[in-house]
Amino acid sequence: MDIASEAQQFVARVKSGSVKRMVDLAKKASEESGKPVAVILADMTGCILRDGIGYQEYLEYDFANKPAELRRTFMTMSHNIALTRMLCDRSLYPVFEDKIRFLETFDRYVGRDWLDVRKASAEEVAAFIRDHDAIFAKPVDNFGGQGIERLLGGTAPEDPEAFRAELLSKGQQLLEEGIVQHHEMARLCDSSINTIRVVTVVHDGKPAHVYSLVRMGLGDSYVDNISSGGMYTWVDPDGVLRYPCFHDKSASYLTEHPKTGMKITGFQIPLFQEAVDLCLEAALVEPRVGYVGWDVAITENGPVLVEGNLIPGYDMPQNAVFHPDGKGMLPVFEEALGCKIPR
């Protein structure tokens, strides 16, 4: 990347964030490291320009206390983009970006009823509402849980035509049967479906599981998305949670759920290996998209796919608290691929 491109990237990242937020996080990193705020700010700026590492990531990765050799083990934005270009056919992005195309493609793995409101008649929409207790109305191309509305079912709407028209006017082209999660997963937070993000890569026709995180709501929303105020933590290969949850908005770590008091560390995710196996199998349905972050819900009957995410975030799995050895995820990805990831 040339200097002009680096400068443009820096400006874009600053514009998308907040100078005040950057200074606040620099002060927090200064307190944790003992280094002057001015030194931290200069280092943050260098990381943005050189590596595409944002100021929030700088704090999460504990870069203020890391030497150069450990910093080089971290996935950057450039690595993430390069990996996507290596493994994913862009012409197939709509399979994952359009929720209905995703449900059509991976129907055998989703474990729930759904309806395309655009193609369904008003009577079919009414029957769907009547026949399911809980329904989610969604845009087909939403991000971060935006535009999703929870509907109560069990009774058909009085005016099916008007109801269908209202859904479409709000951009809610998809109706999905609500997922009932496993009773153990509900202990983490019973107001949201607490999903597992399972990241896989497919290289030379072989799928590999790279890492998993679990996300949970705070008890005031029915979605667990980090962008909607949720929190997340690392899942060890045996399905046990051994690290605190990170709450992005407060940049704080929690060992207990703030609303329920549920102890997070030591929790065993039920059917975790089955969830990983499901994703490895699903990864081969369309192997030309070989880098996917699968969102999985655990139900009493087994794991089910919620959605698949292109260009999975590289920041959350590299949170310093999850890696006592101080290393990032770049060596893990390269071992799974059996090759280096260019920048």
Side-chain angles (χ1 to χ4, degrees):
M1 185 180 292
D2 59 32
I3 294 175
S5 298
E6 290 176 343
Q8 289 175 353
Q9 184 183 85
F10 173 70
V11 172
R13 293 203 74 143
V14 171
K15 284 183 176 178
S16 67
S18 160
V19 173
K20 181 181 183 301
R21 176 71 169 166
M22 183 176 181
V23 173
D24 288 345
L25 293 178
K27 289 178 179 177
K28 189 166 186 176
S30 173
E31 293 171 3
E32 294 175 355
S33 66
K35 297 178 181 179
V37 174
V39 171
I40 297 293
L41 283 170
D43 194 27
M44 278 183 170
T45 302
C47 287
I48 293 172
L49 285 169
R50 183 178 57 252
D51 301 318
I53 298 294
Y55 46 77
Q56 177 77 41
E57 296 151 13
Y58 182 96
L59 182 69
E60 292 175 26
Y61 300 170
D62 192 28
F63 263 26
N65 293 308
K66 281 190 168 57
E69 60 268 23
L70 284 180
R71 291 185 178 193
R72 286 193 289 269
T73 67
F74 279 74
M75 286 276 286
T76 67
M77 180 190 297
S78 298
H79 287 118
N80 214 39
I81 292 172
L83 182 56
T84 300
R85 288 173 176 165
M86 281 174 58
L87 300 183
C88 298
D89 182 337
R90 192 175 183 85
S91 69
L92 294 169
Y93 280 18
V95 172
F96 290 83
E97 293 171 336
D98 184 307
K99 292 186 181 300
I100 289 176
R101 284 196 62 180
F102 178 84
L103 291 167
E104 289 172 341
T105 303
F106 297 96
D107 188 64
R108 63 179 291 195
Y109 302 106
V110 302
R112 61 193 178 279
D113 292 336
W114 56 274
L115 186 71
D116 185 341
V117 178
R118 298 167 301 186
K119 296 180 180 179
S121 67
E123 289 71 24
E124 289 171 326
V125 170
F128 192 92
I129 300 295
R130 183 194 64 227
D131 294 343
H132 298 90
D133 293 331
I135 304 102
F136 286 89
K138 301 179 178 182
V140 297
D141 57 354
N142 79 307
F143 172 76
Q146 301 302 311
I148 296 177
E149 183 180 359
R150 186 175 184 175
L151 308 175
L152 292 178
T155 304
E158 292 183 5
D159 188 339
E161 289 285 357
F163 182 80
R164 178 179 179 275
E166 182 182 0
L167 289 174
L168 294 175
S169 71
K170 292 189 289 187
Q172 295 170 335
Q173 305 99 334
L174 170 64
L175 292 178
E176 277 190 56
E177 177 186 9
I179 294 171
V180 179
Q181 69 184 336
H182 194 285
H183 67 278
E184 280 294 303
M185 295 301 292
R187 291 175 60 217
L188 291 173
C189 180
D190 61 6
S191 66
S192 64
I193 301 300
N194 308 302
T195 59
I196 306 167
R197 170 65 60 87
V198 179
V199 172
T200 62
V201 293
V202 178
H203 189 53
D204 291 336
K206 297 178 181 178
H209 170 222
V210 185
Y211 70 86
S212 294
L213 302 168
V214 66
R215 303 176 301 172
M216 62 194 80
L218 289 178
D220 51 6
S221 174
Y222 49 76
V223 296
D224 63 358
N225 301 81
I226 306 310
S227 57
S228 299
M231 54 188 187
Y232 67 92
T233 190
W234 179 270
V235 183
D236 271 345
D238 58 359
V240 176
L241 311 185
R242 293 187 169 89
Y243 302 98
C245 269
F246 183 72
H247 182 227
D248 187 72
K249 289 190 175 180
S250 65
S252 60
Y253 294 94
L254 305 169
T255 57
E256 295 181 353
H257 195 284
K259 292 290 179 69
T260 66
M262 169 69 187
K263 186 178 179 182
I264 296 164
T265 52
F267 181 84
Q268 170 72 60
I269 292 179
L271 305 173
F272 176 70
Q273 188 56 53
E274 288 86 344
V276 172
D277 291 342
L278 176 79
C279 295
L280 290 172
E281 186 176 327
L284 292 178
V285 171
E286 187 40 85
R288 291 173 294 174
V289 182
Y291 177 32
V292 179
W294 307 94
D295 288 344
V296 182
I298 307 296
T299 75
E300 300 289 353
N301 296 319
V304 297
L305 289 185
V306 177
E307 62 183 5
N309 298 270
L310 299 168
I311 320 180
Y314 60 93
D315 52 341
M316 292 192 297
Q318 299 189 112
N319 196 302
V321 77
F322 307 150
H323 303 282
D325 62 2
K327 293 181 180 179
M329 291 293 294
L330 184 59
V332 178
F333 270 93
E334 292 182 337
E335 181 179 356
L337 291 168
C339 66
K340 295 288 185 182
I341 301 173
R343 292 187 57 180

